[in-house]
Amino acid sequence: MKSLPYFCRGEVIRGFGRGSKELGIPTANFPDSVVDNLPADISTGIYYGLACVGSGDVYKMVMSIGWNPYYKNTKKSMETHVIHTFKEDFYGEILSVVLVGYIRPERTYDSLEALIAAINNDIEEAKVKLDLPEHLKLRNDNFFTSIASSSSVLPCTAASTSTSQTIMNGH
Ligand code: ADP
Ligand code: MG
């Protein structure tokens, strides 16, 4: 996928109450504006990467990009599980993410247990991959470090290692 790593940010909106939080795997949903900007070569499936809420710390994440049943599978959704335990929900906050690599395509599971096991595998794979030296440096990317000082944290004005004004993906 040519577009990886892919940087974007947007407000955390309410999802469709599929109860991911009850499964212990809450997923922060992006609005359509962020999803609609995805480059065509970013296919549906499970990705690993980094994420930060507001101007907070950068954590590892796994993201599912998939077809949204709520819209009769005509619309894609992007759902990020941040690999960190937060004290509170962060609806309405700006979530900044970089998609670093692809883990696997989406698929259905025979049971909830099988689904949870698959997601936990994804999380373990993400943790290992994101410790590779070539990925560690993304933590210090201008995209994340500039947030604290930036006055305008607009949805999906992505930055890159070299410039802060690049629209969307700087790579
Ligand atoms: P929804 O259907 O509204 O997306 P979820 O059950 O998927 O509900 O929970 C997602 C919400 O949980 C996020 O929008 C965020 O506010 C909160 N949350 C708390 N911890 C996390 C986390 N580690 N990763 C993602 N979201 C989290
Ligand atoms: Mg969700």
Side-chain angles (χ1 to χ4, degrees):
M1 284 178 217
K2 270 196 335 218
S3 301
L4 296 179
Y6 179 72
F7 295 82
C8 69
R9 59 171 58 108
E11 188 181 340
V12 176
I13 59 157
R14 294 211 170 254
F16 306 102
R18 274 178 283 180
S20 11
K21 210 177 286 170
E22 285 69 35
L23 306 181
I25 311 164
T27 60
N29 292 51
F30 275 135
D32 292 346
S33 55
V34 177
V35 183
D36 292 344
N37 271 321
L38 273 177
D41 70 311
I42 302 273
S43 52
T44 57
I46 315 300
Y47 290 78
Y48 62 88
L50 300 171
C52 99
V53 177
S55 57
D57 292 339
V58 178
Y59 299 110
K60 296 171 182 175
M61 64 80 162
V62 287
M63 182 191 287
S64 156
I65 300 180
W67 295 103
N68 198 323
Y70 186 82
Y71 290 109
K72 298 197 166 62
N73 300 337
T74 54
K75 196 122 197 83
K76 261 188 239 169
S77 68
M78 291 166 77
E79 302 192 22
T80 305
H81 172 68
V82 187
I83 306 176
H84 176 74
T85 304
F86 291 88
K87 288 204 194 76
E88 287 176 346
D89 286 351
F90 45 85
Y91 289 111
E93 298 241 29
I94 299 294
L95 179 70
S96 298
V97 300
V98 54
L99 280 72
V100 176
Y102 185 73
I103 300 181
R104 62 175 176 89
E106 285 192 296
R107 51 157 288 190
T108 56
Y109 292 90
D110 295 338
S111 68
L112 212 53
E113 288 72 26
L115 170 65
I116 294 172
I119 297 171
N120 283 324
N121 276 337
D122 298 335
I123 291 172
E124 289 314 308
E125 183 170 341
K127 284 181 182 169
V128 172
K129 290 262 170 61
L130 290 161
D131 278 337
L132 295 173
E134 70 256 39
H135 295 150
L136 279 174
K137 65 179 193 293
L138 282 166
R139 288 178 171 272
N140 301 317
D141 194 284
N142 193 24
F143 177 69
F144 290 119
T145 55
S146 64
I147 299 172
S149 55
S150 153
S151 54
S152 66
V153 185
L154 296 171
C156 253
T157 50
S160 75
T161 26
S162 49
T163 65
S164 59
Q165 292 305 313
T166 313
I167 303 301
M168 295 313 301
N169 198 30
H171 293 262

